[in-house]
Amino acid sequence: MEEIKTPEGGSIIPVSIETEMQKSYIDYSMSVIVARALPDVRDGLKPVHRRILYSMEEKGLHAGGKTRKCATVVGDVLGSYHPHGDSSVYDALVRLGQHFSMRYMPITKQGNFGGIDGSPAAAYRYTEAKMSQIAEEMVKDIKKETVDFVPNFDDTKKEPTVLPAKIPFLLVNGSSGIAVGMATNMPPHNLNEIADAVCAYIDNPDISIDELCHFVKGPDFPTGGIIYGKTGIRQAYKTGRGKITIRGRFTIEVSKSGRESIIFTEIPYQVRTDDLCKKIGELARDKVIEGIDRVNDGSAGDDVRIEIGLKRGTIAKVVLNQLFSKTPLQSSFGIINLALVNGRPEVLSLKKLISCFVEHRQDVVTRRTQFELKKAEERAHILRALVKAIQNIDEVIKIIKESRNEEVAKNSLKDRFQFDDVQAQAIVDMRLGRLTSLEIEKLEAELKEVEALIEYLKDLLAHPEKILNIIKDETSEVAKKYGDKRRTDIVADEVEQINVEDLIKEEEMVVLISHLGYIKAVPASTYKSQGRGGKGSNSAKLVEDDFIKQVFVASNHDYVLFISTE
């Protein structure tokens, strides 16, 4: 297609609509994949979460300080780093502070952040937040040139492309998101187990996934529950995809009157108690699940308590099997370990996830060491000049005193003692109080310490294996500080198949067989015997000239064998 000139001197370039739509959609897809929906494998954060934590660090909302209105945090993030809707930022902030969403919360909340019953958070003008200690570990050393910074959306500030992430955030907290043509659904894990696996990988980079599974037992959800079977876990760890079955944890209580109640104290991950109780109530009302007398949601705060009262004579196992088969009390979690690796989406095995974290920490610790070495060398450079000046203090004072101005004094010092500009400036800025013998000893002691530090840092940079040992120590340190016991139990056997017989309440049945071969089973409780002067059982309507030939009683769980001549 040729270019068309306009009367105003411009030009119109004809483009095929198919080509333009394809290009625009690809651009949109990549924007969603890279800049919104998928986490980075290094720090485990999506851009909005990373911007929230960095903005809070920038504003000084540390764990030891006071909380601030979430409206302020949302405004700072929107105005400086994330020019999208305020609801997207606030929703992300709220999730970071929910105990039932995050295994290790990076946000300390104040106010209503929503509940496990599905209730929404209060408006951001009412709630407050600050960083937790775990969040501080995520941004620690960020001012030591450990990560790259890029201009924000309007080129007024710089924002980090990734956080230093001392904690393997992606593995311990998981992530979920729907991009264009792909989705991620990563479960949380126990910090102690992940830290042990990281240390084992550092000790042996050739470690197998089966060996890593000795350390990482399986997902560890903030809401607890019980995982049935290890097949799906192993498959996910090896291929990046798998499916696991989770059940709620329950106990059975008996009242003084003898009635049983099923009490669920833990439910599957991402299940809300309000929706769950509504579902159970509807099934009980429609007689899909029989034997339920009442359903009460007594959940409060971090504690879950769903009480399902049973009618007298109801068998709890029958109701439980129906609950597991017909409600989210038994749920499947489809694992998709999809994350961005060097800006590209990739489905990752457990070993790859760990190796990417270790590589990121290697880069962070190396850059931190280089920064500290540079600062130490700069300080040593100044200290050497100060010590030399004090050793020749009379001459230094004479030079400064005879100089017309500061610039002349600096040049005279540089000529006499071969100081550079930085050293000369430090000398002319030196206070007279530092000329005491005690101050001279302090300077000499500090110089020795700084020189020892320089040797240590140079040795670290010359031996990468020592940097790996630092990563091991730091990972073990955060695990010791923030790690806790597993909340989710894992049962080796797969979840038992629900037996249809278990869904049927056992009762006695009266079986009637007629002369002509008709058979009917009637509950014993409703069976009506023949009355005086009657023509047959009231429980069976017989055809003309037919009559009951046999009657016997059996359980509705019993098996009956029939033999025919045909």
Side-chain angles (χ1 to χ4, degrees):
M1 300 182 186
E2 295 182 358
E3 183 177 317
I4 302 172
K5 297 294 184 180
T6 63
E8 294 80 8
S11 61
I12 299 175
I13 303 174
V15 178
S16 166
I17 190 169
E18 292 87 353
T19 303
E20 182 61 27
M21 288 295 292
Q22 184 181 43
K23 180 180 180 299
S24 298
Y25 190 73
I26 290 175
D27 291 344
Y28 163 73
S29 301
M30 290 308 298
S31 174
V32 172
I33 291 169
V34 175
R36 292 181 67 181
L38 300 184
D40 192 297
V41 72
R42 295 170 294 177
D43 62 2
L45 298 172
K46 298 177 186 179
V48 63
H49 299 127
R50 186 178 302 116
R51 288 163 175 166
I52 288 171
L53 295 184
Y54 179 66
S55 179
M56 296 180 82
E57 157 68 15
E58 201 176 33
K59 300 301 180 183
L61 301 182
H62 297 138
K66 294 182 179 180
T67 57
R68 290 189 66 183
K69 288 289 185 183
C70 289
T72 302
V73 177
V74 171
D76 291 338
V77 175
L78 285 177
S80 298
Y81 305 114
H82 199 73
H84 300 284
D86 59 344
S87 61
S88 65
V89 177
Y90 186 52
D91 289 348
L93 174 63
V94 164
R95 188 176 186 276
L96 293 177
Q98 291 177 331
H99 68 275
F100 51 87
S101 295
M102 307 297 292
R103 184 65 178 81
Y104 300 93
M105 294 184 296
I107 295 296
T108 299
K109 65 181 180 180
Q110 180 69 40
N112 177 18
F113 267 50
I116 197 171
D117 59 354
S119 59
Y124 53 48
R125 61 182 178 273
Y126 300 119
T127 57
E128 298 182 2
K130 63 179 179 180
M131 300 169 71
S132 69
Q133 290 183 325
I134 287 176
E136 292 191 357
E137 300 289 356
M138 293 292 291
V139 298
K140 191 173 183 179
D141 299 326
I142 198 170
K143 296 180 180 178
K144 293 185 178 181
E145 300 177 1
T146 51
V147 294
D148 294 330
F149 281 72
V150 294
N152 67 340
F153 64 91
D154 60 358
D155 286 337
T156 58
K157 289 186 176 183
K158 298 280 188 179
E159 64 174 310
T161 57
V162 68
L163 297 185
K166 200 173 180 181
I167 289 177
F169 193 88
L170 185 59
L171 280 162
V172 300
N173 273 324
S175 183
S176 62
I178 301 174
V180 179
M182 60 187 70
T184 183
N185 199 33
M186 303 181 65
H189 290 84
N190 185 272
L191 178 56
N192 287 329
E193 294 180 6
I194 294 298
D196 290 341
V198 168
C199 295
Y201 171 80
I202 291 174
D203 290 335
N204 177 22
D206 296 324
I207 190 171
S208 68
I209 292 178
D210 287 334
E211 290 173 317
L212 285 173
C213 288
H214 290 304
F215 302 98
V216 184
K217 308 302 182 184
D220 188 24
F221 298 104
T223 52
I226 303 171
I227 297 175
Y228 281 83
K230 296 184 178 180
T231 304
I233 297 173
R234 294 294 176 90
Q235 184 181 8
Y237 288 166
K238 290 181 179 180
T239 67
R241 294 178 182 270
K243 184 178 179 182
I244 59 176
T245 300
I246 317 164
R247 278 187 174 182
R249 193 187 302 274
F250 67 90
T251 58
I252 296 178
E253 296 180 359
V254 181
S255 67
K256 293 180 179 179
S257 62
R259 290 193 178 188
E260 292 184 329
S261 296
I262 303 172
I263 311 296
F264 280 90
T265 55
E266 294 177 5
I267 58 177
Y269 186 50
Q270 296 176 335
V271 173
R272 300 292 176 255
T273 59
D274 188 47
D275 296 337
L276 180 60
C277 290
K278 285 181 181 178
K279 178 70 172 177
I280 297 172
E282 290 172 1
L283 293 174
R285 185 178 61 250
D286 297 339
K287 304 298 183 181
V288 177
I289 301 179
E290 295 186 354
I292 294 179
D293 181 51
R294 68 188 186 282
V295 180
N296 295 326
D297 185 2
S299 305
D302 296 349
D303 298 323
V304 173
R305 182 180 173 86
I306 298 175
E307 183 178 350
I308 302 171
L310 304 182
K311 295 178 181 177
R312 191 180 301 277
T314 300
I315 300 174
K317 183 179 179 182
V318 174
V319 177
L320 277 170
N321 280 337
Q322 290 178 318
L323 289 171
F324 288 139
S325 65
K326 294 180 172 64
T327 74
L329 284 169
Q330 176 176 307
S331 302
S332 295
F333 188 95
I335 300 174
I336 309 174
N337 292 334
L338 182 69
L340 295 174
V341 181
N342 298 323
R344 297 173 62 89
E346 186 177 337
V347 179
L348 305 165
S349 66
L350 174 63
K351 183 176 179 180
K352 182 67 173 178
L353 287 167
I354 292 173
S355 68
C356 288
F357 171 74
V358 172
E359 288 172 10
H360 174 55
R361 288 301 299 169
Q362 275 185 283
D363 183 54
V364 167
V365 174
T366 299
R367 294 177 65 164
R368 182 184 70 193
T369 304
Q370 292 169 341
F371 175 84
E372 291 174 348
L373 177 60
K374 181 178 70 173
K375 292 297 182 182
E377 288 177 335
E378 290 174 356
R379 180 59 180 165
H381 188 61
I382 298 295
L383 288 172
R384 293 188 188 102
L386 292 176
V387 170
K388 187 173 183 179
I390 291 175
Q391 290 173 346
N392 300 275
I393 190 61
D394 293 336
E395 189 175 356
V396 168
I397 292 174
K398 182 179 179 182
I399 291 173
I400 295 175
K401 189 176 180 180
E402 293 176 353
S403 300
R404 292 179 56 191
N405 53 46
E406 183 177 309
E407 192 62 31
V408 173
K410 286 168 57 178
N411 291 330
S412 299
L413 290 171
K414 289 160 65 176
D415 293 339
R416 171 64 183 86
F417 298 104
Q418 287 75 51
F419 292 150
D420 60 21
D421 193 66
V422 175
Q423 291 174 316
Q425 184 65 50
I427 292 169
V428 297
D429 290 341
M430 184 172 58
R431 296 185 298 106
L432 291 176
R434 304 205 69 174
L435 300 180
T436 64
S437 58
L438 183 60
E439 285 295 327
I440 294 172
E441 291 175 2
K442 286 182 178 180
L443 286 174
E444 292 175 342
E446 184 184 354
L447 179 58
K448 288 182 180 179
E449 290 178 3
V450 172
E451 287 177 339
L453 176 61
I454 290 172
E455 291 301 315
Y456 168 72
L457 296 174
K458 286 182 176 179
D459 183 62
L460 276 184
L461 294 174
H463 299 87
E465 66 276 6
K466 293 186 177 181
I467 287 181
L468 288 172
N469 286 332
I470 289 178
I471 297 171
K472 277 182 57 179
D473 293 341
E474 290 182 348
T475 304
S476 298
E477 179 187 347
V478 296
K480 184 178 180 180
K481 193 172 182 181
Y482 308 109
D484 55 7
K485 294 181 180 179
R486 284 191 66 88
R487 299 181 186 177
T488 303
D489 291 333
I490 300 175
V491 178
D493 298 331
E494 301 292 333
V495 64
E496 66 265 20
Q497 295 298 318
I498 300 220
N499 192 334
V500 177
E501 293 180 7
D502 290 337
L503 302 179
I504 302 171
K505 181 180 178 181
E506 186 173 1
E507 61 179 330
E508 288 189 336
M509 304 290 291
V510 176
V511 180
L512 309 172
I513 304 176
S514 74
H515 173 70
L516 296 179
Y518 291 98
I519 301 174
K520 184 176 183 180
V522 182
S525 58
T526 61
Y527 177 72
K528 297 179 181 178
S529 61
Q530 175 179 321
R532 181 182 299 274
K535 297 181 180 180
S537 170
N538 291 330
S539 297
K541 293 182 180 180
L542 303 172
V543 298
E544 190 175 352
D545 297 329
D546 196 8
F547 57 90
I548 300 297
K549 187 176 183 180
Q550 291 186 27
V551 178
F552 64 90
V553 178
S555 168
N556 60 349
H557 281 208
D558 290 338
Y559 292 91
V560 180
L561 175 64
F562 295 92
I563 302 175
S564 173
T565 57
E566 297 181 0

